[in-house]
Amino acid sequence: MELEHKIENQEARICVMGLGYVGLPLAVEFARLGYRVTGLDIDAQRVGSILEGESYIQDVSGSDVAELVESGLLRATDDPEILRQMDIIFICVPTPFTKTKTPDLSYVVAASEEIARRLQPGQLIVLQSTTYPGTTEEDVLPILEGSGLAAGRDFHLAFSPERVNPGDRRYDVTNTPKVVGGVSPRCAQLAQLVLKKLMPEVYIVSSPRAAEMTKLLENIFRSVNIALINELAKLSERMNIDIWEVIQAASTKPFGFMPFYPGPGVGGHCVPVDPYYLFWKSREYDFYPRFIELAAELNQGMPYHVVSKISEALNSRGRTLQQAKVLVLGVSFKPDVDDARNAPAQRVIELLLSGGAHVSYNDPHIDRFTVGKDVFYPDEQALTSTPLTDELVQGQDCVVIVAGHRSYDYQWIVDQAPVVVDTMNATKGIQASAGKIFKVGAPSPRS
Ligand SMILES: NC(=O)c1ccc[n+]([C@@H]2O[C@H](COP(=O)([O-])OP(=O)(O)OC[C@H]3O[C@@H](n4cnc5c(N)ncnc54)[C@H](O)[C@@H]3O)[C@@H](O)[C@H]2O)c1
């Protein structure tokens, strides 16, 4: 039967390779539509959780997983042999960077090799991992064609970037439009057909590389704008201006302005990583994009700025970083999520430790947080989230808000702490005695 008919009749068997923040929601939503979905992951623990009907991703409900597994629509395995039986395979594996910030495509390559060994005529492969333009055609396609089958003729290949935004209560995989680029027009149309079952709009571009570049544009747009506001925040501190007040005022303009906010730096799997993917690839073209690298550098400088703010706050109390007790609130990469990958808190804590401070942290979403074993702090430090109590907060020399989770009672924190460094305006509107709150992007308080 033609793949079109299988998709229309919910008879297409779907495999999602990589059951993480991107892959698990995708697998669950297709299963919910009535497709038989198999999640394939090399992480036996994740596979085991799904089979037990449990979710390890905050935005995916455990009861949904349990129900779908029970009904037989969703299953999980670490056996790549199941790839042979699939009609459609989504690749949602990680695309991290190395210590020196060069792209690490090893997961995409390994996943492509697993597929190539078992590739069947008629299968549709859709790469969703964020990557540099050219990956689908220059890296994935030759591996798949090593099977002897030809893309666009014997099997179908497309790239469709993922736009999932963890912690977002308004937009999820079912109401966020998607972009797709195929190796041939039919490849793109097939990918559009299946994705359209899930979301209202699937926009076709002329090639996989245009789709790959679309994702990078979206994230580099954010990186550059965040860097701009971070730079203006530091300038505002010197000029005795509150950038938060300025952003609010500028936001009254109904056109031509979009607010971005300063903070402790950027984190997660996307904004700190993706610019380097494009930067690295562009060098092959004798092109050195200056905006992209400058923005990344400015954002990476923010944890250092936060630590200098902490020193300033400690100074105001006659203390130095050496031997100071510092409590970090929120170590996830942004508020209200359970993902701490590349979180700015990591560098903040490493710099505090290397400055001689005693650091503890609290995060309702992250139980354990390991820092160090890098050039910033050679020893590995495995920290565990400390319960927030009056004694804990009162016993600190400084409390620093790095990820401003909604669940925190900021009035209580400010009341208990001797001095607070707020990296993201979480204490907006909170009553505090003079000299109590040092805010990134605002003039230092005079006690
Ligand atoms: N997390 C996000 O918010 C987000 C948003 C948009 C795009 N992305 C992109 O999506 C991709 C996946 O990100 P993620 O956050 O879901 O990663 P993740 O680490 O949460 O999940 C990836 C999963 O892939 C599995 N895996 C690795 N190699 C495999 C293989 N050969 N076969 C099967 N499974 C394999 C891992 O065990 C892991 O469970 C990345 O390219 C990322 O940049 C992520």
Side-chain angles (χ1 to χ4, degrees):
M1 196 196 295
E2 287 281 309
L3 188 51
E4 282 89 342
H5 290 108
K6 288 187 179 176
I7 293 171
E8 290 300 352
N9 302 335
Q10 292 167 332
E11 281 169 20
R13 288 154 305 173
I14 296 176
C15 174
V16 177
M17 277 184 102
L19 292 172
Y21 290 88
V22 165
L24 186 58
L26 186 76
V28 164
E29 291 305 332
F30 270 121
R32 226 204 283 261
L33 286 179
Y35 289 91
R36 279 171 299 153
V37 181
T38 305
L40 172 62
D41 204 296
I42 52 171
D43 183 336
Q45 222 175 338
R46 287 192 156 179
V47 170
S49 298
I50 299 301
L51 293 176
E52 306 242 309
E54 288 164 12
S55 170
Y56 41 82
I57 302 279
Q58 194 173 277
D59 292 343
V60 175
S61 101
S63 57
D64 283 358
V65 172
E67 209 173 290
L68 292 165
V69 170
E70 176 79 11
S71 72
L73 288 169
L74 179 65
R75 60 186 186 134
T77 179
D78 58 3
D79 180 5
E81 282 305 311
I82 55 94
L83 289 165
R84 292 183 196 280
Q85 303 149 21
M86 298 295 138
D87 297 300
I88 302 169
I89 301 165
F90 289 98
I91 306 177
C92 306
V93 299
T95 43
F97 54 15
T98 65
K99 273 186 183 172
T100 49
K101 302 191 171 47
T102 51
D104 173 5
L105 268 200
S106 59
Y107 297 95
V108 171
V109 168
S112 305
E113 286 171 349
E114 293 289 10
I115 298 170
R117 279 184 213 115
R118 302 164 179 92
L119 194 62
Q120 302 296 313
Q123 283 183 328
L124 167 66
I125 319 297
V126 184
L127 177 62
Q128 297 223 119
S129 304
T130 307
T131 184
Y132 52 77
T135 306
T136 306
E137 288 151 297
E138 296 166 19
D139 299 281
V140 176
L141 184 142
I143 296 173
L144 297 180
E145 290 197 333
S147 64
L149 300 178
R153 189 191 69 196
D154 305 320
F155 70 96
H156 315 288
L157 177 61
F159 180 81
S160 180
E162 181 52 56
R163 285 172 163 165
V164 72
N165 188 20
D168 193 326
R169 293 178 182 182
R170 185 161 166 215
Y171 290 108
D172 60 26
V173 74
T174 63
N175 61 2
T176 308
K178 244 168 118 55
V179 170
V180 69
V183 163
S184 70
R186 178 139 191 266
C187 293
Q189 282 154 11
L190 284 168
Q192 182 190 46
L193 190 67
V194 65
L195 287 167
K196 257 203 124 173
K197 298 291 164 206
L198 216 53
M199 60 234 8
E201 192 189 338
V202 181
Y203 184 85
I204 293 185
V205 290
S206 61
S207 62
R209 61 181 52 230
E212 288 157 343
M213 189 65 144
T214 304
K215 174 70 185 177
L216 293 185
L217 167 63
E218 291 166 13
N219 280 351
I220 290 168
F221 171 81
R222 285 172 63 202
S223 171
V224 167
N225 281 286
I226 293 168
L228 172 67
I229 205 68
N230 277 334
E231 190 167 63
L232 290 178
K234 290 201 267 184
L235 175 64
S236 296
E237 287 176 15
R238 289 205 197 169
M239 297 178 82
N240 225 18
I241 294 167
D242 184 331
I243 194 72
W244 303 97
E245 181 190 1
V246 173
I247 297 169
Q248 201 170 347
S251 300
T252 60
K253 187 179 177 187
F255 52 88
F257 181 78
M258 180 188 263
F260 283 83
Y261 299 96
V266 291
H269 201 316
C270 297
V271 180
V273 179
D274 303 351
Y276 286 104
Y277 266 68
L278 188 58
F279 189 77
W280 178 86
K281 185 67 178 172
S282 59
R283 295 194 308 213
E284 193 180 318
Y285 294 81
D286 286 349
F287 198 96
Y288 298 81
R290 277 165 287 175
F291 252 75
I292 298 176
E293 206 188 20
L294 178 64
E297 187 188 322
L298 286 166
N299 290 331
Q300 260 169 37
M302 290 311 287
Y304 297 82
H305 183 64
V306 170
V307 172
S308 78
K309 265 317 227 203
I310 295 168
S311 289
E312 193 188 342
L314 288 167
N315 270 340
S316 74
R317 296 291 190 273
R319 300 294 316 259
T320 62
L321 207 51
Q322 187 75 34
Q323 301 299 327
K325 289 171 89 177
V326 181
L327 173 68
V328 172
L329 295 182
V331 297
S332 57
F333 82 87
K334 66 175 180 176
D336 308 318
V337 300
D338 60 354
D339 187 353
R341 289 176 295 177
N342 303 312
Q346 169 151 359
R347 194 69 75 247
V348 169
I349 293 175
E350 287 170 350
L351 295 173
L352 289 171
L353 289 171
S354 66
H358 300 288
V359 185
S360 55
Y361 89 90
N362 171 273
D363 194 315
H365 305 280
I366 314 277
D367 295 336
R368 277 178 292 280
F369 191 60
T370 302
V371 300
K373 232 181 170 184
D374 55 26
V375 292
F376 303 95
Y377 194 70
D379 301 329
E380 186 171 276
Q381 285 270 333
L383 304 168
T384 48
S385 178
T386 316
L388 275 188
T389 60
D390 289 5
E391 299 73 51
L392 177 79
V393 181
Q394 286 165 9
Q396 302 300 313
D397 294 305
C398 179
V399 173
V400 50
I401 301 162
V402 178
H405 297 307
R406 261 185 292 226
S407 57
Y408 283 137
D409 179 347
Y410 291 104
Q411 188 63 64
W412 174 81
I413 289 163
V414 168
D415 289 346
Q416 306 298 316
V419 64
V420 173
V421 171
D422 180 359
T423 67
M424 50 185 313
N425 206 21
T427 57
K428 181 183 176 193
I430 295 295
Q431 302 296 316
S433 54
K436 192 78 174 280
I437 302 175
F438 286 70
K439 214 180 262 187
V440 167
S444 295
R446 291 185 186 86
S447 44

